[in-house]
Amino acid sequence: MPTPIDPTSTGFLLAENRNMPMHVGGLQLFQKPEGAGRDHVREMYRSMLEAEQISPLFLKHPYRSVRTGGQLVWKPDEQFDIEHHVRHNALPKPGRVRELLELCSRLHSTRLAWERPLWEAHLIEGLRDGRVAMYTKTHHALLDGVSAMRLLAGTLSTDPDERDMPPPWGVLPPRRTRSGDSGGGGLSEVPMAALRSAMGITAEAAGMPSALVKTIRKGLRNETSALSLHAPRTIFNQDITGSRRFAAQDWPIERLRAIGKATGTTINDVVMAMCSGAVRTYLLELGALPDRPLVAMVPVGLNAKQSQIASAEGGNAVGAVMVQLATDLDDPARRLGAIHKSMKDGKEALSSMTPVQILAMSAIGQAPAILTPMLRMQGIVRPPYNLIISNVPGPRSTHYWNGARLLGTYPLSIPINGMALNITCTSYDGNMAFGLTGCRRTVPHLQRLLTYLDQEVAALERAAGL
Amino acid sequence: MPTPIDPTSTGFLLAENRNMPMHVGGLQLFQKPEGAGRDHVREMYRSMLEAEQISPLFLKHPYRSVRTGGQLVWKPDEQFDIEHHVRHNALPKPGRVRELLELCSRLHSTRLAWERPLWEAHLIEGLRDGRVAMYTKTHHALLDGVSAMRLLAGTLSTDPDERDMPPPWGVLPPRRTRSGDSGGGGLSEVPMAALRSAMGITAEAAGMPSALVKTIRKGLRNETSALSLHAPRTIFNQDITGSRRFAAQDWPIERLRAIGKATGTTINDVVMAMCSGAVRTYLLELGALPDRPLVAMVPVGLNAKQSQIASAEGGNAVGAVMVQLATDLDDPARRLGAIHKSMKDGKEALSSMTPVQILAMSAIGQAPAILTPMLRMQGIVRPPYNLIISNVPGPRSTHYWNGARLLGTYPLSIPINGMALNITCTSYDGNMAFGLTGCRRTVPHLQRLLTYLDQEVAALERAAGL
């Protein structure tokens, strides 16, 4: 039975091309349970193949024909072939994180075929320290990054002794997420309804009602920050190719919190300052740092009072702030201060916006891939920001999958034309993980950013007198 | 400096879509040289990355813009990134051939991006017996399968002690092929000029001059074999998806030769009979064997006298014969006999054709991907054959690459819409290797064909009284 595809998902499907695959990814690192045998990974793989049930979300594929009137619809895959979707991989020796990131980069570079359900999961063995990795890939038309993480979290448990747990695709809705009872800070803080509202606006935007476009332009120009329209040209703001490079690493949240405390800034400000310093050093090395500071588009959560929407749900809305990254400043402390102020100004501007304006801004955060081209078509040639930096909260407590401890989780996102680098951060179990996804060609030596991020934490600590 | 792309290559580029990637592949198995250290594969990979020079063939990519008048041209890749093209892979445990074939299937399923030179080479470690594999992938617009093998052979040596040998992409033309002096039976038996002539005709065909189309239709109907127009419908003759399954194995040529001797048939007849028997069993198991026998399109070499062309070159031309596979017969001996007769009839029909007719037939062999759709457009709804079986001669003697002995080489070919299974055989060092490439969805459980091929050799031996 074909079912209709909502306009947002249709937008993501139609926006896709070979240079811009529209899937989000996740990399998880697991520690084998104690007493795991030699064949542990193989058994893990077997159990992933043998999920008793598959969620309908993971069984449908987009389909278009004369019979559907040329419209894209979801259709169940009648020849569903789980071995096509769930794969077993290995790393070449020496099996360092470097080899793992290289494999993820490659897996993230290929498009999902529309003739099958739009997801893949790759179990990866061969890390020399014995950890096991899983890379998952899901089309943005099925899930955004946040709900993907939520889905994953829902299949994990805080109980190391729990067994017979299904993989993410084996969980049928409306089963309650298991992590719901794991205590604060989980993904449940961002309710799906609010996300869907934001996505709903995007859907309209994809259809380009001119009133909405005007709202966005007004929002960008007058309300949020006039500065945002003066983002300088950088190497990130070019057309991209289809090949990706992915780099990831995490740092203890305690270190970021200490910097924040000593300087009167937030953890999120420190994350932005780390990105700013790293991007500054990276562009300096390439001789490509513009004189004017870079602008980042940062999705932020707003509480119900601020947003005046979704209050019936008692939840939050998501807005987007344009943040001046102060990449023109050499001193880490001054840069952090400037970012803190810019973020505060942006949030205040956002809170004075009308609900529709906020939703319009949110739409940018949720669907840069659709909106950026749209802005261009509206005569805004350059996007009003240079890169997207998201910071998505994750679960605070230790989680397990069938006894395997989740050590870390790293997001892979979607670079698009004009926006070749995406930085997404997510917190888990006391660490802040940075996932950097870039076009392999437009953003050369992406992995150097990890070194610069690390240098920046240390520089900020010194500046804060720690 | 952009250079023009010849019409055949343009045809292959334009015929390509997500369901029909137009690249040929090769899988090579190597034995590590004696005394190779733990890091041997890594060093092998390093040396592949550090090729001192790259052949221009491997540096150009297709490009089209307003400046080129919308025409596809070759353009040097100014940001050539060898690490994108040459990759290091590993197999998950237990590292059997099964895991290797699974990886090759997956690697063969993804399209080459036009924004980069159209090739990839994957060094693969982790086979439990210590062998090292290499999978290479080259766009048909750069190379056909035969010249790809020729190129590979050209980079190998018969001397196990030779070192500092470049990889295939590191060999500059017009360097003489090293295997040229390795004694008879090499790929040099099929001169490039003859292939190019055949390809030239294809080029015209892609432009569809009606005279040529008439010749082909006439050839198919009257000259070659009227039977060929009566190929039954099978599961192979459907539209395909982009995902591939690859299976490969080899058998000692001595076994095939003994069967041929005892039955008065050729090694090639025995190869056909093996394929016929295996496909028969496979379709029977699926309950999908048609009553009428399947027809295979088999490219064959013709000597200069037969073909009356390319004689100035003293070389051979390539023609295509429609062979009745006698899949309606249960008895292996009778099937082999029928195939022998059909092959002989087909070759005789071919030798009575005019040179242009032969070239037209050759074009089918070289470019089914272009010609099959063309035949459809001309009102020939079903292709006049069910599958393509090629048997390409390879080097007879043992070859080495930097001391690593080449144990076997297996071709991966191009399934197309209406032709979901391709069988390509190639001989090397006393073995006949079968490479079966199919659409993963249209040809389920492709790997079973290996078992049936093996059973068929044994059945033919019994039938021949061996």
Side-chain angles (χ1 to χ4, degrees), chain A residues 18-19 42 77 79 81 84 87 89-93 102 106 112-113 115 125 241-243 440-441, chain B residues 18-19 42 77 79 81 84 87 89-93 102 106 112-113 115 125 241-243 440-441:
Chain A
R18 294 211 61 218
N19 294 352
R42 190 136 200 98
D77 181 0
Q79 295 171 273
D81 169 12
H84 173 89
R87 306 277 192 154
N89 293 261
L91 300 179
K93 291 203 175 55
E102 182 62 33
R106 204 185 329 146
L112 292 160
E115 68 228 14
E125 68 180 41
T241 69
S243 193
R440 190 180 168 100
R441 174 157 283 182
Chain B
R18 294 211 61 217
N19 294 352
R42 190 136 201 98
D77 180 359
Q79 295 171 272
D81 169 11
H84 173 89
R87 305 278 191 154
N89 292 261
L91 300 179
K93 293 205 174 57
E102 182 61 35
R106 202 179 338 143
L112 292 160
E115 68 228 15
E125 68 179 40
T241 69
S243 193
R440 188 179 170 100
R441 172 157 284 181

Side-chain angles (χ1 to χ4, degrees), chain B residues 10-157:
Chain B
T10 302
F12 283 121
L13 288 166
L14 297 182
E16 182 167 64
N17 62 47
R18 294 211 61 217
N19 294 352
M20 290 201 294
M22 286 285 150
H23 51 257
V24 291
L27 171 64
Q28 277 81 39
L29 284 172
F30 290 95
Q31 185 171 48
K32 288 182 203 170
E34 271 191 52
R38 277 177 65 91
D39 287 336
H40 177 73
V41 180
R42 190 136 201 98
E43 282 159 20
M44 208 166 158
Y45 178 63
R46 276 288 132 212
S47 84
M48 285 165 67
L49 287 183
E50 285 160 7
E52 274 174 39
Q53 52 196 11
I54 309 278
S55 160
L57 186 67
F58 294 99
L59 284 175
K60 66 188 185 181
H61 73 107
Y63 175 77
R64 172 158 56 177
S65 79
V66 176
R67 267 197 236 170
T68 68
Q71 286 290 307
L72 272 175
V73 295
W74 290 124
K75 217 181 130 178
D77 180 359
E78 275 150 23
Q79 295 171 272
F80 181 73
D81 169 11
I82 187 135
E83 289 184 33
H84 173 89
H85 299 273
V86 183
R87 305 278 191 154
H88 189 181
N89 292 261
L91 300 179
K93 293 205 174 57
R96 298 162 299 183
V97 168
R98 181 179 165 165
E99 279 77 31
L100 176 63
L101 295 178
E102 182 61 35
L103 177 62
C104 289
S105 302
R106 202 179 338 143
L107 294 174
H108 203 62
S109 298
T110 57
R111 269 178 79 179
L112 292 160
W114 285 17
E115 68 228 15
R116 297 174 186 272
L118 300 171
W119 64 282
E120 284 173 17
H122 295 259
L123 191 65
I124 302 164
E125 68 179 40
L127 272 163
R128 62 177 166 188
D129 55 16
R131 289 181 294 177
V132 180
M134 180 145 93
Y135 162 79
T136 51
K137 179 171 171 177
T138 317
H139 200 283
H140 209 328
L142 287 190
L143 286 178
D144 58 89
V146 173
S147 43
M149 281 206 55
R150 172 193 284 282
L151 185 78
L152 178 80
T155 62
L156 299 174
S157 165

Side-chain angles (χ1 to χ4, degrees), chain A residues 298-320:
Chain A
V298 181
V300 293
L302 298 171
N303 64 37
K305 223 185 277 174
Q306 273 180 309
S307 65
Q308 299 161 359
I309 48 165
S311 56
E313 316 247 351
N316 300 340
V318 178

Side-chain angles (χ1 to χ4, degrees), chain B residues 274-297:
Chain B
M274 284 173 68
C275 295
S276 162
V279 165
R280 178 186 145 84
T281 309
Y282 172 83
L283 290 177
L284 261 182
E285 281 250 326
L286 291 174
L289 181 69
D291 291 338
R292 286 204 322 242
L294 270 68
V295 176
M297 196 277 276

